[in-house]
Every structure is written in C-alpha cells, then in structure tokens.
Amino acid sequence: MEISIDTLWVLIATAMVMLMQAGFAMVEIGMTRSKNAVNIIMKNFVDFISGTILFWCFGYTLMFGADGNGFIGLGDFFLNENSIDGITAKSSLMFQTVFAATAATIVSGVIAERTKFLTYILISVVITALIYPISGHWIWGGGWLSELGFHDFAGSTVVHSVGAWIGLAGAILVGPRIGKYSKEGKSKVIPGHNISFAALGVFILWFGWFGFNGGSQLAISGEENATAVSHIFLTTNLSAVGGAFVALLISWMRYKKPSLGMTMNGALGGLVAITAGCDIVTPGSALFMGMIAGVALVFAVEFIDKKLKIDDPVGAISVHGVCGALGTIMVGIFATDGGLINGGGASLLTTQLIGVGTVMVWAFSLGFIVFFIAKKTIGIRVSREEEEKGLDITEHGEQAYN
C-alpha cells in the first residue's frame, strides 16, 4: 500500500511538472513578439520530445547509474527495470525526465527571437543527453558533490542554474536582437506582445512547482512523509510570495510604477531560490530567502541588460541562474541543521559555494563549446531579413495569429 501511494504521488507530481512546459511557453510567448510565437512553442515541444527519448536512452543512466563513479553514472541504457525500491523504477524515470526537459527549456527563453531552430534542437539534445545528466550525477546520483554534503533538494542548481548558464553562453555567442541596443550601447525595451499570456504562464509554473518540490520527497505515505511534503508546499509558496512582494516594491520605487513583469519574475525568482532548501529551512527563513531573491532579481536583470549588454528577453539568466545560485548558497546559511545562523558553522556554506561554482563552470563551459562549434559549422543565428520578418514565417511557414 505504501509503495502504491508513494508511486501515485510521484506520478501526479510528474504530471504537474510536465505542465510547467506550458507555463514556460506562455511566459516566453508573452514576453516576446507575436511574430515568434510558433517558434517558441515548437522549441518547448522539442525540449520535451528530445528530453523524453534521450533521457530514457542515455541520460537517466549517466545520472543515476549505480555502476559509475563520482563523476559519471554507468549501467544499462534504455531503462526497462520494473524492480521496486520505494517507488517503481519507471516512475522515477518519468519524474526525472520532466526535470531534464525543464533544464533544456530554460535555454529557449534566453536566446529567443534570433536563433536557428535546427541549432536549438541540437543544443537541446546535448543538454539532455550529456551536460545535465553528468552534473546531476555529481549531486543526485551519488557523485562527488553529494559525498561532500552538497544539498540541492529539488534542483535550484541541478536544474535551473544549469539551464541558465548554458543559456548565458548561448546569448553571448548569438548576440542581442536587432534594435535592442543603440549605437551608443543604450538598452532599448522590446516589449512583449501579450503580458496576460506571461501572467498565465507564471501561475501555471507556480502550480507546477508544488509538484517540482513536493514530488522530490519521492514519498507521501506515512506521517513523516506527509509532514515533509506539507512543509515543502508551505516553504515553496512563502518564498514565491516573498520574491514577488519585494520585486513589486523595488520596481515601484525605482520606476515610479509597480511593474507586473518584475513582480512575476520576482515570484519565479523566489520559487527557484527555495527549490534547493525547501525541505530544511523554516517557513520564516523561506519567506526571507524569497525576499532576498526578489531584490537580487531586479538588480540582476538591470545589470545583465544595461551593463553586460546581454540580451535576455525573458530574464531567465537572472531568474534561474542568479536566483538559483543564490538560493543554493543560502541553504548554507538558513538550513535548520548545519546552517550558519543556526550554529552549524561555515562548513555547509563552503560546500554549497563549491558546488554552485563548479556546476556554473561546467554548464557554462560546455554550453559555450557546443554553441561555438555550432556557430562555426551550421550557424546559430538567423539572417537579418529572417529575424525582421519573424521566425514563425521564415522557420516554420506558419503564424500563431491569423
């Protein structure tokens, strides 16, 4: 009975996380121009298609294979194991598959509106089959970071930062959209075409995050698991609210008007930040962590856009990269057992810093190499004429709106 209940919960959580693909699509569509909507939707389909096939073929084994070592997992590919260990093996595969697809789809938003569709497919394949599973093995598959005591419960670093750092590499190499920066280097706003779509996407993501974090308990039967999942739901929600509230206030003070875009990204930043430690921080700490993420989000978006001159149409580098890294580091400060403010000393904090830094270097470096190879071979950017017409017509021959 416990195995049945736990497996059912993991599969429900899997379905909730799969729905986040729709959330990501809606956010990206809403925050970009209507002429690229089909292209963005297609990329989100490709993420899930490639993620499902490649993670079943190779990724799951490279990440969780018991015959590997501290760097990479090894074992039988094409998982077809029916054995039961808490939950069925195939339900574990499904749950981890939707996580892999999430890491890949983050890249889509960063390089939206100017990247070749074929190139994106190849990048998504490499992420799902290689980059994500190997660093994931270090943390979740019994690898060297897990042996150090690194804690990332549901993937602030494993999933979100990995996608963001790869996206950062891509954004640097593909360059900004036409018209994003003036000749003097001043940033210009390129407004999205439907903020309502983006808001709906954020609420879908918020809903899915309860499965993302709560499902990572991998069990719900019995008082201990039920209490843990309830706690995770609470900390997840409080951090999201904290991030949204602070981003709203700061944007109101800085821009003289409350910004819906910043508020929505603040909520997402809070969700990303709490994902690493949602199981081992108090509700009060979760709210405070979300508020810190909200502050970081606003200033990171401005810094990346105006100072670094990196064009990120949806703010994904700030939301998933900056807030993901910050949230993972804050585990070393706020964890009830081992956290700096709770008498645990600096040991856990040091480990968190090592893990965040290592994964950042890994994901950015591999992402840069893959994008660079693509740039020198098949190319990564569409032509000026294609970009101005829109990728829907030039890449797919169809439009989202008729």
Side-chain angles (χ1 to χ4, degrees):
M1 181 63 71
E2 288 183 355
I3 291 170
S4 298
I5 293 171
D6 292 341
T7 299
L8 177 62
W9 165 236
V10 170
L11 292 176
I12 290 172
T14 298
M16 293 169 70
V17 178
M18 192 273 179
L19 185 62
M20 292 173 72
Q21 290 291 124
F24 280 115
M26 296 299 287
V27 169
E28 292 173 34
I29 291 168
M31 291 187 173
T32 53
R33 290 164 292 187
S34 60
K35 62 184 180 180
N36 298 308
V38 170
N39 181 258
I40 288 170
I41 295 169
M42 280 294 292
K43 287 176 180 176
N44 279 270
F45 269 103
V46 165
D47 293 332
F48 197 73
I49 293 167
S50 64
T52 296
I53 296 173
L54 291 166
F55 204 70
W56 169 60
C57 293
F58 311 109
Y60 188 84
T61 300
L62 295 178
M63 194 164 177
F64 296 102
D67 297 333
N69 48 50
F71 181 75
I72 191 170
L74 294 172
D76 294 332
F77 295 106
F78 304 94
L79 180 72
N80 192 34
E81 178 61 59
N82 284 315
S83 64
I84 295 175
D85 182 15
I87 59 172
T88 64
K90 290 174 182 175
S91 61
S92 174
L93 168 64
M94 279 302 305
F95 188 63
Q96 294 300 331
T97 294
V98 293
F99 273 55
T102 298
T105 203
I106 291 168
V107 180
S108 170
V110 182
I111 57 175
E113 300 201 283
R114 71 269 201 205
T115 307
K116 288 183 176 181
F117 183 64
L118 175 60
T119 302
Y120 181 76
I121 292 175
L122 297 177
I123 298 296
S124 185
V125 164
V126 175
I127 292 170
T128 309
L130 184 67
I131 301 175
Y132 169 78
I134 291 178
S135 56
H137 175 76
W138 303 346
I139 300 164
W140 287 350
W144 68 275
L145 277 175
S146 67
E147 292 178 355
L148 282 181
F150 182 78
H151 187 89
D152 184 1
F153 182 72
S156 291
T157 289
V158 173
V159 180
H160 295 278
S161 285
V162 165
W165 303 141
I166 296 170
L168 173 61
I172 291 171
L173 287 172
V174 77
R177 292 167 290 174
I178 296 170
K180 174 59 181 173
Y181 296 101
S182 67
K183 293 180 179 179
E184 295 76 25
K186 184 178 180 181
S187 174
K188 297 180 181 180
V189 175
I190 300 179
H193 81 282
N194 197 322
I195 196 69
S196 299
F197 279 4
L200 177 60
V202 170
F203 278 119
I204 292 172
L205 288 170
W206 199 328
F207 169 79
W209 231 287
F210 293 119
F212 202 96
N213 288 358
S216 294
Q217 180 68 15
L218 301 180
I220 200 168
S221 63
E223 183 177 356
E224 183 177 348
N225 287 320
T227 300
V229 173
S230 301
H231 177 82
I232 291 165
F233 268 55
L234 178 59
T235 55
T236 298
N237 197 54
L238 284 170
S239 186
V241 169
F245 178 67
V246 170
L248 185 158
L249 288 181
I250 294 177
S251 68
W252 202 339
M253 290 186 290
R254 290 180 66 81
Y255 314 135
K256 310 306 178 186
K257 299 286 184 180
S259 168
L260 176 57
M262 280 295 186
T263 301
M264 293 190 300
N265 267 345
L268 295 179
L271 287 164
V272 172
I274 196 59
T275 297
C278 55
D279 61 323
I280 57 169
V281 300
T282 65
S285 293
L287 178 62
F288 193 59
M289 290 168 69
M291 294 171 73
I292 294 172
V295 174
L297 181 280
V298 174
F299 290 101
V301 167
E302 290 189 5
F303 181 77
I304 290 168
D305 180 32
K306 296 178 180 179
K307 299 298 182 182
L308 298 182
K309 302 292 190 295
I310 294 173
D311 185 13
D312 178 3
V314 301
I317 298 169
S318 301
V319 169
H320 301 278
V322 174
C323 292
L326 183 60
T328 309
I329 292 168
M330 286 194 287
V331 171
I333 300 172
F334 294 104
T336 53
D337 183 13
L340 187 64
I341 66 170
N342 292 308
S347 177
L348 179 57
L349 178 59
T350 302
T351 300
Q352 297 299 103
L353 287 166
I354 292 170
V356 167
T358 303
V359 172
M360 178 180 180
V361 171
W362 164 260
F364 179 82
S365 299
L366 269 290
F368 193 92
I369 291 170
V370 173
F371 272 105
F372 184 80
I373 293 172
K375 185 174 183 177
K376 295 300 181 181
T377 53
I378 61 174
I380 58 176
R381 183 163 187 150
V382 298
S383 69
R384 184 182 186 91
E385 181 183 4
E386 289 172 323
E387 184 175 344
E388 289 175 342
K389 285 184 178 179
L391 304 189
D392 289 359
I393 289 297
T394 60
E395 291 273 44
H396 307 284
E398 54 188 336
Q399 294 176 293
Y401 308 99
N402 294 294

